[in-house]
């Protein structure tokens, strides 16, 4: 969190105090093995020990993408009685699991009071929690004022390719151009009459790769610059993700916030980076289905799909979580970009 975010609420802090009673345990490499709820359930099963009367003082709830079948049992209502009695819970996660909380009787009533509009839950959360630090804000506003502020329309492209060696650059660009042309997000070069009257546009490309910026700049910027007010920019291109590097994280946070100033957003399938930008913006993105060598799509599937709301997809729900039955006014459905994922849909119809 250092240097990236303001404290979320007055008199609060992102950091644990040095006097926190379990600071040493949190820093040990065996923390998960010793304190995770999933491992506790597994040990009880192996030892055939049904006694759950005594509660530990500290418990880790591990919900990251590689969580196991025992960890996933956190999402069972019958297990919440035990969890409630634990004074300190340490939550480890990197996904948006709120759809599953809305399906649990333990939490649903309170969540509906907090978020009466279930299609803007994430929007409110990120607006509260993700406030740029002064350092980050200085970089964001500096770039925005220099390159984006004067445009009559801002278009953001967020391009994330998880397997670049197995995913051809041309295949990704084909998806992007098919999306923009079909939905007329940017007018084609052939539409010369309309182009002359087109409003000035700033196009921001957020990608680890420089080549997507160069291609989009050639297609929409350099070829039109003499006759139209279209300009293409890229704030950073790091080549690859550097987890744990705060200078890299600062550039990523800057890209996310700059994308959130867009009037039109084009994001990448399965990318949490794009989810956050759209959530802050309050803009329903066009999600481009990036070719995935491990989950190939049919030839007849669209290049992109407009998100039905601002809610992200929970990519790795537990095996016992399903979409609410259609026609029941349920709140949880399938995602546009991840066929096995779940998202809050607020009564919208989605694929089963």
């Amino acid at each position: 969190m250092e240097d990236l975010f303001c404290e979320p609420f007055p008199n609060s802090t992102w950091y644990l105090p040095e006097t926190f009673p379990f600071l040493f345990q949190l820093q040990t490499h065996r923390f998960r093995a010793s304190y995770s709820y999933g491992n506790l359930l597994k040990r009880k099963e192996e030892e055939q020990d049904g006694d759950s009367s005594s509660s530990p003082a500290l418990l880790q709830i591990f919900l990251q993408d590689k969580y196991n079948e025992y960890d996933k049992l956190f999402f069972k209502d019958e297990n919440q009685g035990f969890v409630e009695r634990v004074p300190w819970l340490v939550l480890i996660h990197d996904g948006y699991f709120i759809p599953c909380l809305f399906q649990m009787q333990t939490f649903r009533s309170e969540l509906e009071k907090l978020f009466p509009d279930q299609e803007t839950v994430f929007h409110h959360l990120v607006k509260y929690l993700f406030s740029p630090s002064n350092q980050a804000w200085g970089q964001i506003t500096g770039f925005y004022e220099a390159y984006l502020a004067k445009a009559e329309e801002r278009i953001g492209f967020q391009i994330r390719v998880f397997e670049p060696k197995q995913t051809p650059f041309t295949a990704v660009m084909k998806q992007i151009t098919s999306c923009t042309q079909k939905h007329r997000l940017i007018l084609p070069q052939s539409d010369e009459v309309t182009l002359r009257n087109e409003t000035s546009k700033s196009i921001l490309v957020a990608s680890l790769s420089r080549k997507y910026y160069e291609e989009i700049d050639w297609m929409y910027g350099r070829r039109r610059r003499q006759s139209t007010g279209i300009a293409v920019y890229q704030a950073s291109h790091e080549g690859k993700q550097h987890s744990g590097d705060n200078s890299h994280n600062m550039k990523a946070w800057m890209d996310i916030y700059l994308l959130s100033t867009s009037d039109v957003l084009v994001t990448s399938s399965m990318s949490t980076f794009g989810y956050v930008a759209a959530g802050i913006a309050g803009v329903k993105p066009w999600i481009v289905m990036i070719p995935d060598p491990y989950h190939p799509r049919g030839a007849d599937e669209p290049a992109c799909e407009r998100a039905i709301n601002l809610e992200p997809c929970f990519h790795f729900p537990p095996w016992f979580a399903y979409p609410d039955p259609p026609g029941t006014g349920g709140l949880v459905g399938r995602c546009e970009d991840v066929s096995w994922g779940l998202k809050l849909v607020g009564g919208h119809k989605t694929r089963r």
Side-chain angles (χ1 to χ4, degrees):
M1 298 294 183
E2 188 178 5
D3 300 327
L4 299 178
F5 303 104
C6 292
E7 306 297 359
F9 308 106
N11 303 314
S12 68
T13 176
W14 287 109
Y15 302 103
L16 285 172
E18 292 183 1
T19 55
F20 181 67
F22 300 103
L23 204 58
F24 173 77
Q25 287 88 333
L26 292 179
Q27 295 169 337
T28 62
H29 69 281
R30 288 189 53 79
F31 176 65
R32 183 183 177 193
S34 303
Y35 293 96
S36 90
Y37 183 50
N39 283 341
L40 183 147
L41 291 177
K42 184 178 180 181
R43 286 195 298 270
K44 284 185 176 294
E45 181 181 276
E46 291 172 347
E47 298 165 5
Q48 296 183 343
D49 178 8
D51 179 23
S52 58
S53 56
S54 60
S55 301
L58 177 71
L59 195 63
Q60 183 201 68
I61 307 299
F62 187 83
L63 302 178
Q64 283 189 316
D65 59 347
K66 294 181 173 59
Y67 66 156
N68 62 38
E69 304 309 298
Y70 292 96
D71 295 320
K72 294 173 184 177
L73 294 175
F74 170 81
F75 292 113
K76 290 278 192 179
D77 276 299
E78 57 264 34
N79 293 327
Q80 288 303 311
F82 175 81
V83 174
E84 278 183 356
R85 298 196 298 270
V86 179
W88 289 102
L89 295 179
V90 178
L91 179 63
I92 307 292
H93 71 99
D94 57 2
Y96 186 69
F97 54 81
I98 283 181
C100 284
L101 298 187
F102 267 94
Q103 290 189 315
M104 298 174 66
Q105 293 302 315
T106 306
F107 301 114
R108 182 159 181 166
S109 176
E110 189 66 26
L111 285 170
E112 288 180 339
K113 292 176 186 175
L114 286 168
F115 305 105
D117 179 359
Q118 285 83 43
E119 295 186 84
T120 60
V121 175
F122 185 66
H123 175 64
H124 288 298
L125 287 174
V126 293
K127 294 293 278 188
Y128 268 112
L129 297 176
F130 291 164
S131 296
S133 66
N134 290 342
Q135 181 181 345
W137 189 242
Q139 295 187 29
I140 291 164
T141 55
F143 189 95
Y144 178 81
E145 295 296 337
Y147 302 110
L148 306 178
K150 295 179 182 178
E152 295 172 90
E153 184 179 33
R154 287 174 288 276
I155 301 172
F157 284 89
Q158 181 266 327
I159 304 169
R160 181 67 159 105
V161 181
F162 292 99
E163 300 291 340
K165 292 182 179 179
Q166 289 84 26
T167 310
F169 169 77
T170 52
V172 176
M173 284 306 307
K174 181 181 178 182
Q175 291 291 88
I176 293 170
T177 54
S178 295
C179 177
T180 58
Q181 289 174 9
K182 179 178 180 180
H183 300 288
R184 296 179 70 81
L185 304 181
I186 303 176
L187 294 176
Q189 182 74 17
S190 58
D191 200 341
E192 295 180 3
V193 175
T194 310
L195 281 171
R196 293 193 195 102
N197 301 315
E198 197 172 25
T199 58
S200 65
K201 299 180 189 293
S202 284
I203 298 174
L204 176 69
V205 179
S207 173
L208 291 169
S209 172
R210 176 76 173 177
K211 59 187 178 181
Y212 291 106
Y213 158 75
E214 292 173 343
E215 185 68 14
I216 291 172
D217 185 37
W218 168 245
M219 292 169 58
Y220 300 123
R222 280 178 282 170
R223 290 169 63 187
R224 299 184 179 184
R225 208 159 278 157
Q226 301 303 318
S227 58
T228 65
I230 296 179
V232 183
Y233 303 102
Q234 185 176 37
S236 68
H237 49 92
E238 294 285 274
K240 63 179 181 179
Q241 186 170 337
H242 302 280
S243 298
D245 180 343
N246 238 31
S247 64
H248 172 81
N249 292 339
M250 179 69 78
K251 293 174 183 177
W253 180 212
M254 178 180 172
D255 270 337
I256 288 172
Y257 210 95
L258 289 170
L259 284 169
S260 78
T261 67
S262 301
D263 303 295
V264 177
L265 260 177
V266 180
T267 62
S268 299
S269 54
M270 210 174 177
S271 174
T272 53
F273 196 107
Y275 296 157
V276 177
I280 297 172
V283 172
K284 292 187 289 186
W286 292 92
I287 305 173
V288 174
M289 305 306 163
I290 302 296
D292 182 347
Y294 302 108
H295 305 98
R297 296 176 178 270
D300 58 338
E301 292 196 51
C304 68
E305 193 169 334
R306 186 79 183 272
I308 61 171
N309 58 27
L310 303 174
E311 289 299 300
C313 180
F314 182 22
H315 294 161
F316 302 104
W319 79 93
F320 47 80
Y322 295 95
D324 293 326
T328 63
L331 300 179
V332 177
R334 288 294 181 200
C335 308
E336 299 91 350
D337 55 333
V338 181
S339 60
W340 60 88
L342 296 177
K343 69 177 287 180
L344 290 173
V345 297
H348 281 279
K349 292 182 179 179
T350 63
R351 63 172 66 90
R352 296 189 65 182

